Amino acid sequence: MVTSVNRKKNIGQRKEGGIAVFCKNNIFEGISIEKEYDHGIVLIKFSKLYFNLNDDLYICFAYIPHEKSNFYRICDNDFHVDIENIFLEYKYKGSVIVCGDMNSRTGELNDVLETDNLEKYIDCVEPDVFPAISKRCSMDKVINAYGRKLIQLCYNTGLTIANGRFGNDSCGSYTFCTSRGQSVNDYLLVCPENYYIIKNFNVIDFTEFSDHAPLSYEICLNNNIQCNSLPSTHKYLKWDSSKNQDYIQLLSQHNELLISLVGNMNSADDVNNAVREINRILYDSAFAIFGKTVLKRSPTYVKRHDNDWFNQNCASARQDFNYARNFYQRHPTDANHQRYILARNRYNRTKRLAVTNYKRPKGQELCEFAKSDPRKFWSAFKPMNKNKCLADSDLLINHFEQLLGGNPPDICEEVINLIETNSFLNDIVIDSLDTEISEDEILQSINKLKTGKSAGNDSWNDVGWHNPEVLTPHMDNLAKQGVILENHYVHLQCTPSRGAILTGKYAHRIGLQDLFTQEAVKIIEDNDPNTSPLFLCVPYTSPHSPLQNGGDPKYRGSNMPLRGIKGQL
């Protein structure tokens, strides 16, 4: 990645987009960042020294939000003015190209400011010489406000629109397609004197990932960069019965040579040579008629497999999407457009459903691992491939020698002495790390824990006397000295359960089967400890949210069945 910019202003919970620029490793050193605007403009520079160019090359990537979008409403920048200022600033430093999503519909407006030929009436003014520029075509005939601004930008800077003018996009293909229609929103702007830089401009087919079609073009640079060797090709014959006569006519041109080869076979060597020559003639003639040439994949090429969640339904939806897209590209009618949109939406829905169905059992499996086998749970989050250091020792030595300025003997000898004697380890003394953790420190840490919240739902396997791998020493000690109740039933609410514990009666016998009310407070207060002894006394005053409607103010916010004022229960 060369650079990336993200918009600083967000609208609601949706994060705004940005621009990311990537390049290949073999040209990374020749590219630098000149300007970055967080609202959606990036200017990169191709160095003339690195690429052996006459002038530096600047490419301005821009994303202009829609004129009716919320982001444009809160944004204070005029994007067209920013692009124009960048062009006027750098046009004297080198060649400038502008590319991006302009959200502009220019129709077939003329983007070239025509001359008025008035200089013929003035002798002292030399006539302007304009290069011959072909007329631009566009499949989108609509013009909006942004489109007129873009045309005015072309008038002010001398830039021209490459869409529908040269390359493989002679008709001005659509670059944006949704269920509401299609339009040309993405542009490449080039000055006429820089046409020779751009090669093979084209609007690539739509994909399921975006409503926009990618723009593809090549930049002609001097070939002074080491590139990978060209891929090898594989030749084969594919027979076609309809071309039999063409093959026979081509072979008839070699009749005299074939006859002479057969008639001059006097020895075994002559037979072998004749067989090889006849085989060559037959193959060359057949390849001229039936031959095919395809690229051979590199032996290091690894076929990219589909994701684990990509099932047969996804493959079928992808096939339908590709068919609908290709048919729409060949026949851009309204019916085919709607069929393409439906196929794309169906493909995306199928993928989302497959991802959900794949992740749900995986999540359930992780939850089971978290309870039963923590080792498998944490191993699922470990990276599959560990990155290894590709730098050898010589490279590291050269790197640090450049940083230190050669070979400083004083520093090297000092470091070597420290390593050999291990004296630097003996000099490090940290008392807080060497002393043992005392019981008071443990109790102090426990007291800092939050006690005003309810405890979690501990399962059977989350305590030490059931699972040795769980460390709960204080609870283990309490269970060992007390009584473990492992076969009992409780109510769904806290108030009935605690009322039953305090009185020794069922909750419905004392009227606590519902939530805590003023009547329940009275029942607890009127309880006779002699006839119905209390089995539990907990001296806490922590508030309990479901029990906030007691009659007496001293009971409000306090859970009287279990948590009362110290000394009363």
Side-chain angles (χ1 to χ4, degrees):
M1 176 182 290
V2 179
T3 184
S4 63
V5 294
N6 297 321
R7 292 178 177 174
K8 304 301 181 182
K9 297 181 180 180
N10 294 324
I11 302 171
Q13 297 181 352
R14 179 181 177 182
K15 299 296 183 181
E16 293 298 327
I19 298 178
V21 181
F22 296 85
C23 75
K24 292 186 176 181
N25 293 330
N26 56 340
I27 62 174
F28 181 78
E29 296 180 358
I31 298 178
S32 60
I33 308 301
E34 288 292 319
K35 285 184 179 294
E36 289 182 351
Y37 297 98
D38 55 16
H39 55 271
I41 297 178
V42 174
L43 181 68
I44 65 174
K45 171 185 174 182
F46 287 78
S47 175
K48 62 180 180 181
L49 299 178
Y50 185 84
F51 294 100
N52 195 17
L53 301 173
N54 296 328
D55 297 313
D56 293 327
L57 176 62
Y58 300 90
I59 300 182
C60 178
F61 296 100
Y63 171 50
I64 303 178
H66 194 272
E67 57 186 341
K68 295 182 180 180
S69 64
N70 293 330
F71 179 79
Y72 180 77
R73 177 176 51 83
I74 66 175
C75 187
D76 300 330
N77 302 88
D78 191 331
F79 294 86
H80 296 87
V81 173
D82 292 340
I83 296 174
E84 181 178 347
N85 293 335
I86 290 175
F87 178 86
L88 297 177
E89 180 182 354
Y90 286 89
K91 72 174 183 178
Y92 299 107
K93 300 179 182 180
S95 304
V96 182
I97 298 174
V98 180
C99 180
D101 179 9
M102 308 295 180
N103 270 307
S104 306
R105 305 182 69 176
T106 60
E108 292 185 339
L109 287 176
N110 189 6
D111 56 338
V112 179
L113 190 60
E114 298 181 355
T115 178
D116 50 10
N117 295 324
L118 296 178
E119 66 275 358
K120 62 183 179 181
Y121 298 104
I122 304 175
D123 296 335
C124 60
V125 176
E126 296 182 358
D128 295 331
V129 178
F130 292 93
I133 302 175
S134 60
K135 186 178 180 180
R136 180 176 63 92
C137 300
S138 179
M139 299 178 67
D140 186 10
K141 310 300 181 183
V142 180
I143 303 173
N144 62 359
Y146 268 13
R148 299 185 185 278
K149 284 188 175 182
L150 185 63
I151 294 298
Q152 187 63 42
L153 173 65
C154 294
Y155 291 163
N156 297 340
T157 59
L159 293 168
T160 58
I161 299 176
N163 302 56
R165 175 164 280 133
F166 59 88
N168 299 325
D169 185 37
S170 58
C171 60
S173 302
Y174 292 117
T175 63
F176 182 76
C177 180
T178 61
S179 58
R180 293 177 293 181
Q182 53 269 7
S183 60
V184 178
N185 288 343
D186 307 270
Y187 294 91
L188 173 65
L189 308 180
V190 190
C191 291
E193 58 269 18
N194 296 326
Y195 279 174
Y196 71 95
I197 300 177
I198 304 301
K199 182 181 178 182
N200 296 332
F201 175 80
N202 191 16
V203 179
I204 305 179
D205 296 339
F206 289 96
T207 65
E208 72 275 15
F209 303 108
S210 175
D211 297 330
H212 294 263
L215 300 184
S216 173
Y217 56 92
E218 298 178 7
I219 300 176
C220 298
L221 303 174
N222 293 337
N223 190 16
N224 63 337
I225 305 173
Q226 294 181 357
C227 301
N228 298 329
S229 59
L230 295 177
S232 58
T233 58
H234 172 65
K235 298 180 180 180
Y236 67 97
L237 298 176
K238 186 176 182 180
W239 187 265
D240 188 358
S241 301
S242 62
K243 300 180 180 180
N244 291 344
Q245 295 299 325
D246 298 337
Y247 182 48
I248 294 174
Q249 292 179 2
L250 188 59
L251 284 177
S252 62
Q253 300 177 4
H254 304 281
N255 285 339
E256 296 181 359
L257 179 59
L258 294 174
I259 293 174
S260 61
L261 291 174
V262 175
N264 296 329
M265 291 188 296
N266 299 323
S267 62
D269 293 337
D270 295 338
V271 173
N272 293 333
N273 294 333
V275 170
R276 284 193 295 267
E277 187 64 20
I278 293 173
N279 186 25
R280 185 191 63 79
I281 294 173
L282 293 176
Y283 179 82
D284 292 345
S285 301
F287 188 81
I289 303 299
F290 310 107
K292 300 290 183 181
T293 303
V294 295
L295 294 177
K296 183 186 295 184
R297 296 189 184 276
S298 174
T300 59
Y301 173 79
V302 179
K303 182 180 179 180
R304 186 179 69 87
H305 298 282
D306 293 329
N307 294 317
D308 295 336
W309 52 263
F310 198 88
N311 53 23
Q312 185 61 32
N313 295 334
C314 296
S316 178
R318 180 174 60 183
Q319 183 178 2
D320 296 341
F321 164 74
N322 291 333
Y323 177 80
R325 179 194 60 189
N326 297 337
F327 195 80
Y328 168 66
Q329 294 288 348
R330 293 192 298 268
H331 308 285
T333 62
D334 293 339
N336 294 335
H337 167 252
Q338 293 297 329
R339 190 178 296 110
Y340 157 71
I341 295 297
L342 293 176
R344 186 183 66 182
N345 295 340
R346 189 183 307 111
Y347 180 34
N348 290 328
R349 285 197 304 269
T350 304
K351 290 194 298 181
R352 288 195 296 267
L353 180 61
V355 171
T356 303
N357 295 335
Y358 175 78
K359 289 184 176 180
R360 183 180 292 113
K362 289 292 184 181
Q364 295 175 355
E365 184 180 2
L366 288 176
C367 292
E368 295 177 359
F369 284 158
K371 297 179 180 179
S372 60
D373 194 346
R375 188 181 298 275
K376 289 184 179 180
F377 174 78
W378 291 110
S379 62
F381 295 96
K382 293 181 179 179
M384 299 300 295
N385 298 325
K386 295 183 179 179
N387 297 327
K388 297 182 179 180
C389 181
L390 302 179
D392 54 4
S393 58
D394 296 335
L395 181 61
L396 294 176
I397 291 174
N398 295 333
H399 171 71
F400 285 104
E401 283 183 353
Q402 293 179 0
L403 294 178
L404 298 175
N407 186 16
D410 298 335
I411 297 178
C412 294
E413 291 179 0
E414 182 180 356
V415 173
I416 292 174
N417 294 332
L418 288 175
I419 295 175
E420 291 178 352
T421 58
N422 291 331
S423 61
F424 66 98
L425 294 177
N426 299 328
D427 296 338
I428 299 176
V429 177
I430 303 177
D431 296 334
S432 58
L433 297 179
D434 296 334
T435 56
E436 296 182 357
I437 300 176
S438 63
E439 184 177 354
D440 295 336
E441 292 178 340
I442 297 177
L443 295 176
Q444 186 178 2
S445 301
I446 293 175
N447 294 331
K448 292 181 179 179
L449 298 177
K450 295 181 179 180
T451 58
K453 61 179 182 179
S454 59
N457 296 325
D458 296 330
S459 61
W460 176 274
N461 209 35
D462 291 341
V463 289
W465 62 86
H466 287 157
N467 186 2
E469 296 183 1
V470 178
L471 302 178
T472 55
H474 296 285
M475 295 180 64
D476 295 345
N477 189 22
L478 179 63
K480 184 178 179 180
Q481 298 176 0
V483 179
I484 302 176
L485 305 177
E486 295 184 341
N487 187 12
H488 62 280
Y489 301 91
V490 296
H491 296 269
L492 295 178
Q493 290 85 12
C494 56
T495 297
S497 299
R498 293 166 179 171
I501 293 176
L502 287 173
T503 61
K505 298 179 181 180
Y506 289 107
H508 67 275
R509 297 289 301 274
I510 59 176
L512 291 179
Q513 65 271 18
D514 298 325
L515 293 179
F516 196 73
T517 60
Q518 183 176 359
E519 183 179 358
V521 174
K522 187 174 184 302
I523 293 173
I524 294 295
E525 291 180 342
D526 296 341
N527 181 71
D528 187 3
N530 297 322
T531 59
S532 300
L534 299 177
F535 294 98
L536 185 64
C537 177
V538 181
Y540 293 129
T541 58
S542 300
H544 193 65
S545 57
L547 314 175
Q548 296 178 353
N549 298 321
D552 197 301
K554 66 179 180 180
Y555 302 133
R556 290 194 183 133
S558 298
N559 188 350
M560 288 303 300
L562 181 60
R563 298 180 179 180
I565 300 176
K566 182 177 180 180
Q568 290 188 356
L569 295 180

